[in-house]
Amino acid sequence: MEYRKEHDTMGEVMVPADRLWGAQTQRSLENFRIGTERMPGEIIRAFACLKMACAQVNGSLGKLDSARAKAIEQACGEILDAGQQSDPGNGGTGQDGGDAAGITAAEFPLVVWQTGSGTQTNMNVNEVVARRASQLLADAQAGGQTATQTGGQAAPVHPNDHVNMSQSSNDTFPTAMHVAAKLSIEEKLLPALDGLIAELQRLEAENAGVIKTGRTHLQDAVPITFAQEISGWRASIQEVRAMIVASEEALSKLAIGGTAVGTGLNAPEGFGEAVAARLSELCGTQFASDPNKFHALSSKDAAVFAHGALKALAADLMKIANDVRWLASGPRCGLGEIRIPENEPGSSIMPGKVNPTQCEAVTMVAVQVMGNDAAIGFAASQGNFELNVFMPVIAYNFLQSARLLADVMESFRANCLAGLKPNREKMAENLEKSLMLVTALNPYIGYENAAKIAKYAHSKGVTLREAASDLGLLTPEQFDEYVRPEKMV
């Protein structure tokens, strides 16, 4: 492999010649050989949008010359284009860097386990954008176009002086976190939620007249329609959707403009507000400058609050998936009240066995999200003075949760709920055997006499109707008049 010399304030570093990154990225690669978790592609995309917005605002304020601003903007556009093809946060690899290929996802190789401020990822983006923007300026000059020049050559774009102008890692990384989190919710999570809600609404409408036994404490309870049971699932998802949407307000507030400690040193007045406005246009969703940058840099409460809503979604999905696999248990020795799609063989030794694998995937994702929530909460509690230094792990866990939840909801919808069917015969059989139908007799013979009927029927192995007659509490005709399951729902 060929190398080139790059330098930073600490000296020279050898960097692979075919890569666009510089000395600080290379130092991070060499100093943090920890794990396989790479900075999520959503963060890189958010940084590209942010650097583009900052260049545009710096250019409009006269702080950055138009040629460099345009070149930075073009380089950031290449990152966004590359992000459509490959996600480094999921192990994606792009083509080699360079003039022909432009910027690919492979230019962002840094691990999550780095400096807690995310400085090295900020510099990774700064270095890649700076080198690529310099190439673009040189190409423009070679093509006879106007370029900023020094001694007849296109002036380079510096990662700190130009790409990072009016910024600090301490305000760019939390800004990128919020942008990535909000976009992951709006672009991935909410569409998957809406698809799941629509599927549940369809099932609810189709099963309005199907009566079955209800269950509490895993024990038989009074009757319920299958549609009513499904409505509980549907309402829980709708409720948590509203919670997630409500959490977006806090994520909309951005730290940009606070620079190093929240004072805004080296940023022009109104910079944060102007960048937030540009980001709103670029991303197609609303952002605003956080009115208190000291809070924005040091507190991660917005991520905690929003991820709490994701944990609530995980809890509801866990409940729904468990209900489905309990109801589908069997097919002969379980409840067997519903049938779910048979997608793949369930055992390497038991022929013909089929398992509720989609439900299991949902519950595993729910466990992961709950673990992520604990990590995010702990990380957010560790802010010291003017900065929180656990931001990469917060970002990684949040985005993983959003991604997993969106994916598993769509998988569960398409591969399980879409083919779910009630086993009406089994539901009717279980309903007829349920001792809790006796509850309908309370107004007529009282709780204690109704309990006598239920206990007698259970101990003797007879029906409630037979027990009521044997005990002399009701005639068969009276029992039939009072116990009407369709009237109990």
Side-chain angles (χ1 to χ4, degrees):
M1 180 182 290
E2 295 184 359
Y3 290 86
R4 70 175 189 274
K5 285 184 180 180
E6 287 283 342
H7 76 278
D8 57 17
T9 58
M10 297 184 71
E12 292 185 341
V13 179
M14 301 302 292
V15 174
D18 62 349
R19 290 303 176 196
L20 294 171
W21 67 67
Q24 293 194 49
T25 302
Q26 190 66 31
R27 289 188 194 279
S28 183
L29 278 173
E30 294 171 2
N31 291 333
F32 296 91
R33 302 179 187 272
I34 306 170
T36 59
E37 296 82 6
R38 306 291 169 181
M39 192 60 66
E42 297 96 328
I43 287 289
I44 303 303
R45 175 196 176 192
F47 260 111
C49 291
L50 176 59
K51 298 297 177 180
M52 181 184 291
C54 288
Q56 291 173 346
V57 172
N58 280 321
S60 69
L61 296 174
K63 288 179 61 66
L64 184 65
D65 61 88
S66 61
R68 284 193 178 98
K70 183 178 179 181
I72 291 171
E73 183 176 349
Q74 187 174 342
C76 291
E78 290 184 358
I79 296 176
L80 297 176
D81 290 340
Q84 300 298 317
Q85 305 166 18
S86 179
D87 182 351
N90 286 319
T93 57
Q95 303 172 6
D96 290 343
D99 291 359
I103 300 176
T104 67
E107 298 294 343
F108 307 101
L110 299 189
V111 295
V112 172
W113 319 109
Q114 54 168 276
T115 174
S117 62
T119 298
Q120 289 152 13
T121 288
N122 181 45
M123 286 308 303
N124 179 200
V125 176
N126 287 338
E127 289 177 341
V128 169
V129 170
R131 186 170 181 83
R132 181 57 182 155
S134 296
Q135 292 174 350
L136 293 168
L137 283 175
D139 291 345
Q141 183 183 11
Q145 300 177 29
T146 302
T148 302
Q149 298 180 3
T150 304
Q153 299 294 320
V157 177
H158 194 279
N160 298 82
D161 294 339
H162 303 127
V163 184
N164 202 59
M165 180 182 285
S166 308
Q167 306 153 58
S168 163
S169 297
N170 295 352
D171 67 348
T172 58
F173 198 92
T175 296
M177 277 178 55
H178 279 206
V179 170
K182 192 176 184 195
L183 291 179
S184 71
I185 288 172
E186 294 185 354
E187 296 178 354
K188 299 177 183 177
L189 195 66
L190 293 182
L193 268 169
D194 291 339
L196 184 60
I197 291 168
E199 196 70 58
L200 291 171
Q201 288 172 328
R202 179 190 65 79
L203 283 170
E204 187 178 347
E206 289 179 0
N207 291 280
V210 181
I211 304 174
K212 63 185 292 292
T213 189
R215 294 180 178 87
T216 59
H217 303 269
L218 295 181
Q219 303 294 305
D220 301 341
V222 295
I224 189 174
T225 69
F226 190 33
Q228 288 171 330
E229 192 163 48
I230 295 169
S231 77
W233 302 343
R234 184 259 308 154
S236 67
I237 299 300
Q238 288 177 321
E239 288 292 320
V240 82
R241 186 191 190 282
M243 297 173 194
I244 292 169
V245 170
S247 75
E248 288 191 84
E249 182 179 355
L251 292 175
S252 298
K253 297 177 182 178
L254 305 181
I256 193 68
T259 65
V261 295
T263 60
L265 180 66
N266 290 348
E269 185 177 354
F271 182 76
E273 290 76 8
V275 172
R278 287 297 301 127
L279 278 171
S280 298
E281 296 175 12
L282 289 171
C283 299
T285 188
Q286 193 62 39
F287 293 105
S289 178
D290 194 310
N292 190 312
K293 301 299 189 296
F294 306 103
H295 163 262
L297 269 59
S298 62
S299 173
K300 302 300 121 193
D301 50 11
V304 173
F305 181 62
H307 196 274
L310 301 191
K311 182 175 72 170
L313 172 59
D316 282 336
L317 289 173
M318 174 79 84
K319 191 270 182 190
I320 294 168
N322 278 333
D323 282 358
V324 169
R325 62 177 172 178
W326 271 106
L327 291 171
S329 61
R332 292 188 174 180
C333 300
L335 294 179
E337 291 190 347
I338 63 173
R339 298 185 179 95
I340 56 177
E342 298 182 352
N343 296 323
E344 61 274 320
S347 173
S348 61
I349 188 174
M350 294 176 281
K353 193 174 193 299
V354 179
N355 296 327
T357 52
Q358 289 295 319
C359 298
E360 291 163 8
V362 171
T363 55
M364 284 192 290
V365 165
V367 167
Q368 183 65 52
V369 172
M370 292 173 187
N372 287 351
D373 192 73
I376 288 172
F378 283 125
S381 73
Q382 297 302 303
N384 298 122
F385 303 116
E386 279 66 61
L387 189 66
N388 177 286
V389 290
F390 285 73
M391 287 189 286
V393 72
I394 292 173
Y396 180 83
N397 283 358
F398 190 105
L399 295 169
Q400 183 193 57
S401 291
R403 190 185 312 117
L404 287 176
L405 287 167
D407 289 349
V408 84
M409 282 191 293
E410 176 55 21
S411 182
F412 185 53
R413 183 203 65 77
N415 299 313
C416 184
L417 294 181
L420 186 153
K421 302 291 182 185
N423 183 344
R424 294 176 183 240
E425 295 78 13
K426 187 65 174 177
M427 287 181 176
E429 176 189 336
N430 288 340
L431 179 63
E432 184 178 351
K433 292 189 299 184
S434 173
L435 295 174
M436 291 305 101
L437 293 176
V438 78
T439 307
L441 298 177
N442 288 357
Y444 304 101
I445 62 174
Y447 180 93
E448 292 190 11
N449 282 331
K452 288 178 184 179
I453 293 174
K455 290 179 181 293
Y456 181 90
H458 187 52
S459 64
K460 300 296 184 181
V462 298
T463 66
L464 291 172
R465 188 174 187 268
E466 292 169 331
S469 179
D470 290 351
L471 291 171
L473 293 171
L474 291 169
T475 67
E477 292 76 20
Q478 286 175 316
F479 183 91
D480 291 341
E481 179 184 354
Y482 300 151
V483 181
R484 301 277 299 279
E486 69 276 11
K487 300 288 188 181
M488 298 174 71
V489 298

